[in-house]
Amino acid sequence: MVTITIPENVSVFLLDIEGTTTPITFVKDILFPYIKEHLEDYLSAHWEEDECKQDVHLLKKQAEEDLKQNRACPVHAVDQTVHTDEEKAIREVVDNVLWQMAAERKTTALKQLQGHMWRAAYATGRIKGEVYQDVVPAIRQWRRHGLKVYIYSSGSIEAQKLLFGYSVEGDLLDLFDGHFDTTIGAKVESKSYETIAERIGCSPEEIMFLTDVTREAKAAEDAGLNVGVVVRPGNMELTEEERSHYRIIMTFSQLEFSGRA
């Protein structure tokens, strides 16, 4: 397998999660189905708790916004305050959440509820975060060489920490110097990567970003970052042009240091 030399000016790795550190199937086949299967039971068990009430309130606000913008969403507004029939109110929340998930939306309201459900599942051992076998040894080596490692994912920072904190390899949170999600900006916008560099306190040229999505790779490259496109089983097929343009990484073990102590 072709080795790829880490540029000498790189002092930071910025990693995507899905398709990069973690199989896409983990999110698609484990995390999302868990929400669908346990949503009604979770709401019934936690309906009167403040956190759940806040989650439902956010979903209601999102539903109102969707109605204003004439989105093709379930016409009922999500509300837990005007119903005497708790079962009916929960069913309305379930319908709204399932509709958002089917539309592959990433609203804050949806992500917050999902994050709270996953937190409970991780804590009880029902779910363990998956990572590719090459990831942890590589990150440990990068850290031994003095590099910093950050995560940038469309999943919330809480969801990121749950995945790595309750992983199949134990608690991996000490491997990371920080986490970023889309509250800093969309992953396909170069400004997001400029902001991340500012937050970390380095120049864009000192960061190497690894992702499986070429639109994200292009945005990071436009911002001045070094980029590697990760090719794993189940990831999106790349065009010949993309393969010739980007560093192609099949496994983190391909990345090697040169000219460093």
Side-chain angles (χ1 to χ4, degrees), residues 149-170:
V149 183
Y150 291 83
I151 294 291
Y152 181 29
S153 172
S154 57
S156 69
I157 288 173
E158 181 178 22
Q160 296 173 30
K161 289 182 174 180
L162 288 169
L163 192 159
F164 291 112
Y166 295 92
S167 88
V168 289
E169 298 199 36

Side-chain angles (χ1 to χ4, degrees), residues 21-23 129-136 163-164 167-169 172:
T21 67
T22 299
E130 292 183 21
V131 290
Y132 291 111
Q133 288 187 336
D134 55 279
V135 171
V136 174
L163 192 159
F164 291 112
S167 88
V168 289
E169 298 199 36
L172 303 176

Side-chain angles (χ1 to χ4, degrees), residues 214-246:
T214 52
R215 287 180 66 209
E216 296 173 5
K218 183 182 186 309
E221 193 175 56
D222 289 347
L225 279 68
N226 298 278
V227 171
V229 173
V230 181
V231 175
R232 307 269 198 187
N235 286 7
M236 187 80 73
E237 287 290 325
L238 302 182
T239 64
E240 283 303 315
E241 185 181 354
E242 288 167 342
R243 282 183 170 276
S244 61
H245 179 77
Y246 294 108

Side-chain angles (χ1 to χ4, degrees), residues 48-86:
E48 294 299 329
E49 296 171 15
D50 287 345
E51 184 177 81
C52 188
K53 286 180 178 178
Q54 289 166 7
D55 291 344
V56 172
H57 177 70
L58 265 190
L59 287 163
K60 179 194 173 190
K61 300 290 281 187
Q62 183 64 55
E64 289 170 351
E65 187 62 34
D66 289 339
L67 284 169
K68 276 185 203 166
Q69 295 182 15
N70 297 313
R71 289 187 188 272
C73 64
V75 291
H76 55 256
V78 173
D79 196 348
Q80 73 192 125
T81 57
V82 299
H83 290 283
T84 50
D85 186 347
E86 183 179 297

Side-chain angles (χ1 to χ4, degrees), residues 2-25:
V2 179
T3 58
I4 296 168
T5 302
I6 300 166
E8 286 192 34
N9 62 320
V10 166
S11 60
V12 173
F13 269 97
L14 182 65
L15 307 177
D16 168 54
I17 291 179
E18 195 178 342
T20 300
T21 67
T22 299
I24 287 175
T25 51

Side-chain angles (χ1 to χ4, degrees), residues 1-206:
M1 194 167 286
V2 179
T3 58
I4 296 168
T5 302
I6 300 166
E8 286 192 34
N9 62 320
V10 166
S11 60
V12 173
F13 269 97
L14 182 65
L15 307 177
D16 168 54
I17 291 179
E18 195 178 342
T20 300
T21 67
T22 299
I24 287 175
T25 51
F26 174 68
V27 176
K28 185 165 64 76
D29 297 342
I30 295 177
L31 287 187
F32 287 157
Y34 181 86
I35 300 293
K36 293 173 185 174
E37 289 163 24
H38 297 89
L39 178 58
E40 195 161 344
D41 289 344
Y42 176 87
L43 290 169
S44 297
H46 300 279
W47 191 251
E48 294 299 329
E49 296 171 15
D50 287 345
E51 184 177 81
C52 188
K53 286 180 178 178
Q54 289 166 7
D55 291 344
V56 172
H57 177 70
L58 265 190
L59 287 163
K60 179 194 173 190
K61 300 290 281 187
Q62 183 64 55
E64 289 170 351
E65 187 62 34
D66 289 339
L67 284 169
K68 276 185 203 166
Q69 295 182 15
N70 297 313
R71 289 187 188 272
C73 64
V75 291
H76 55 256
V78 173
D79 196 348
Q80 73 192 125
T81 57
V82 299
H83 290 283
T84 50
D85 186 347
E86 183 179 297
E87 202 171 303
K88 184 186 174 194
I90 288 172
R91 171 45 54 189
E92 291 187 355
V93 177
V94 170
D95 287 348
N96 182 273
V97 169
L98 294 181
W99 167 75
Q100 289 204 57
M101 290 180 69
E104 296 187 354
R105 303 184 78 201
K106 298 182 187 291
T107 63
T108 299
L110 176 64
K111 287 198 293 185
Q112 180 168 303
L113 174 64
Q114 288 174 330
H116 291 153
M117 285 187 65
W118 288 327
R119 181 182 65 199
Y122 280 114
T124 56
R126 284 182 168 188
I127 293 176
K128 285 188 183 292
E130 292 183 21
V131 290
Y132 291 111
Q133 288 187 336
D134 55 279
V135 171
V136 174
I139 294 177
R140 292 198 193 284
Q141 185 191 29
W142 301 341
R143 293 185 66 86
R144 281 196 296 270
H145 278 80
L147 276 72
K148 293 185 174 181
V149 183
Y150 291 83
I151 294 291
Y152 181 29
S153 172
S154 57
S156 69
I157 288 173
E158 181 178 22
Q160 296 173 30
K161 289 182 174 180
L162 288 169
L163 192 159
F164 291 112
Y166 295 92
S167 88
V168 289
E169 298 199 36
D171 185 350
L172 303 176
L173 288 176
D174 64 340
L175 296 182
F176 305 106
D177 294 278
H179 299 256
F180 299 98
D181 59 17
T182 50
T183 57
I184 204 144
K187 295 179 74 182
V188 293
E189 294 175 4
S190 58
K191 176 66 180 167
S192 305
Y193 298 91
E194 293 168 8
T195 305
I196 285 172
E198 288 170 13
R199 289 278 180 92
I200 292 172
C202 66
S203 69
E205 294 78 18
E206 292 176 75

